[in-house]
Amino acid sequence: MGLLEGKVAIVTGAGNGLGEAYAKLFAKEGASVVVNDLGGPRDGSGSDKSAAQKVVDEIIAAGGKAVANGDDVSTMEGGENIAKTALDNFGQIDILVCNAGILRDKTFANTSEQDWDLVVKVHLKGTYCCTMPVWKWMKDNGKPGVIVMTSSTSGLYGNFGQSNYGAAKAGIYGFMRVLSIEGRKYGIRVMGLAPGAFTRMTSDLPSQRGGEPNPLSLPENVAPGVLYMVSDLAADHTGKVLAVSQRGVREIKMMQTDGFQPERPYTAQDVAAAADKVFFPAAPDKTAKDG
Ligand SMILES: NC(=O)c1ccc[n+]([C@@H]2O[C@H](COP(=O)([O-])OP(=O)(O)OC[C@H]3O[C@@H](n4cnc5c(N)ncnc54)[C@H](O)[C@@H]3O)[C@@H](O)[C@H]2O)c1
């Protein structure tokens, strides 16, 4: 029996890349899948509804269950239609993976208001718009479920030239943390994901340019980690971020030092003198650029 037998999963942005790999693996594991994708190029400037349908056709040809949805995740109407597609076709929602995304990378001084707004809208507001109807349905119907929100090391650690993207991805981290706390009383798990894979989004990064991608860096190698997160194998985990990439699966965690505990009043100079307690010791850089 598959890990997701009898479950209904929504994967946004599943017409390409990582989302496509998640949708196909979820279907193989027995889930009925809503494959959402607006289509269009990487910068979010257009749409092509055949992207989702192509993935659905492949899932059905392989013996799975899936339905396509071409809505825009970054509008409330789109989020509601995506949830409705799941309910109309499969009668329930157990899993939501907010994965859809775009890129408009530029150094900060060259980032226009439009580049800022669109990237934040698709990633951060898109996560809100898709989560809200699913959340309400799970809560109102007393159905436990799991929501995976896609963050990125670019937001959790920072990355040159991605101020809009990094801000959105760090916002998703905060959103995930808050909902994981609110979700406990409803049995709704909320997890964060920082994936890393060779897709059209990352294919022109300096580290990926030239030659064939390493097989370990293909989306199919991230999908089992995400399957783990949405399955009952991870039932004890909520509010956590997993980095899943060719480097394996590992938790990323917010940490604090023991700190400087002053005798009040204290001065700025006292803080400076206690810098070894305030800051972590300088360590080898572990801010791996998984994406
Ligand atoms: N590939 C990586 O290494 C990497 C690293 C960190 C984070 N991520 C994140 O993983 C997710 C998937 O990225 P990917 O690499 O597979 O990219 P991708 O470009 O291959 O796939 C993203 C998909 O989202 C769809 N999409 C874009 N805007 C949409 C909208 N408004 N509504 C619905 N669908 C929309 C696109 O059509 C596309 O099919 C993104 O959130 C991305 O930020 C990827």
Side-chain angles (χ1 to χ4, degrees):
M1 185 168 134
L3 278 174
L4 303 183
E5 215 62 58
K7 305 257 172 147
V8 175
I10 297 170
V11 184
T12 71
N16 284 291
L18 287 161
E20 176 178 357
Y22 307 158
K24 287 179 173 171
L25 185 58
F26 292 2
K28 201 168 155 200
E29 290 291 328
S32 302
V33 184
V34 174
V35 176
N36 156 266
D37 207 292
L38 182 63
R42 192 179 76 166
D43 69 358
S45 59
S47 66
D48 173 6
K49 301 207 167 160
S50 64
Q53 190 58 52
K54 183 175 156 289
V55 174
V56 167
D57 291 347
E58 288 170 10
I59 289 174
I60 290 171
K65 292 180 280 260
V67 63
N69 170 284
D71 276 288
D72 179 349
V73 296
S74 71
T75 67
M76 214 50 235
E77 188 191 1
E80 276 160 7
N81 278 338
I82 294 167
K84 188 169 179 305
T85 302
L87 295 173
D88 287 353
N89 286 277
F90 305 126
Q92 65 192 57
I93 306 169
D94 304 283
I95 295 160
L96 168 66
V97 180
C98 295
N99 164 80
I102 62 167
L103 271 191
R104 291 193 171 197
D105 289 356
K106 290 189 183 125
T107 54
F108 181 57
N110 292 316
T111 301
S112 67
E113 184 180 358
Q114 196 194 12
D115 292 336
W116 179 274
D117 282 350
L118 193 64
V119 168
V120 172
K121 183 167 185 264
V122 172
H123 287 279
L124 184 54
K125 188 176 174 201
T127 300
Y128 161 80
C129 292
C130 293
T131 298
M132 183 59 93
V134 169
W135 181 265
K136 282 191 173 158
W137 185 85
M138 287 176 176
K139 177 176 163 293
D140 294 348
N141 290 282
K143 302 275 191 193
V146 54
I147 299 172
V148 172
M149 300 184 170
T150 305
S151 184
S152 167
T153 56
S154 298
L156 301 171
Y157 295 127
N159 196 22
F160 185 91
Q162 294 197 305
S163 55
N164 49 3
Y165 182 78
K169 291 303 200 184
I172 288 171
Y173 169 78
F175 182 24
M176 180 282 292
R177 287 292 311 155
V178 171
L179 275 206
S180 71
I181 294 164
E182 290 191 20
R184 282 180 191 275
K185 72 177 182 201
Y186 308 117
I188 304 174
R189 293 194 298 116
V190 190
M191 296 286 281
L193 170 69
F198 184 93
T199 65
R200 68 178 196 170
M201 191 176 269
T202 54
S203 58
D204 60 357
L205 291 181
S207 58
Q208 305 278 17
R209 255 182 239 140
E212 285 297 303
N214 174 345
L216 286 180
S217 72
L218 294 174
E220 289 70 22
N221 199 46
V222 174
V226 181
L227 171 63
Y228 162 76
M229 294 169 84
V230 303
S231 76
D232 290 341
L233 295 173
D236 293 340
H237 298 283
T238 189
K240 298 175 184 175
V241 181
L242 292 185
V244 186
S245 72
Q246 62 179 354
R247 298 176 62 242
V249 182
R250 55 176 62 76
E251 185 176 5
I252 296 176
K253 200 167 178 169
M254 192 81 89
M255 294 173 76
Q256 55 181 293
T257 58
D258 288 340
F260 161 59
Q261 291 150 18
E263 303 294 330
R264 289 187 168 74
Y266 69 98
T267 64
Q269 286 84 347
D270 294 335
V271 180
D276 61 332
K277 295 198 178 69
V278 171
F279 293 102
F280 290 106
D285 187 7
K286 288 228 175 194
T287 59
K289 294 291 172 283
D290 282 344

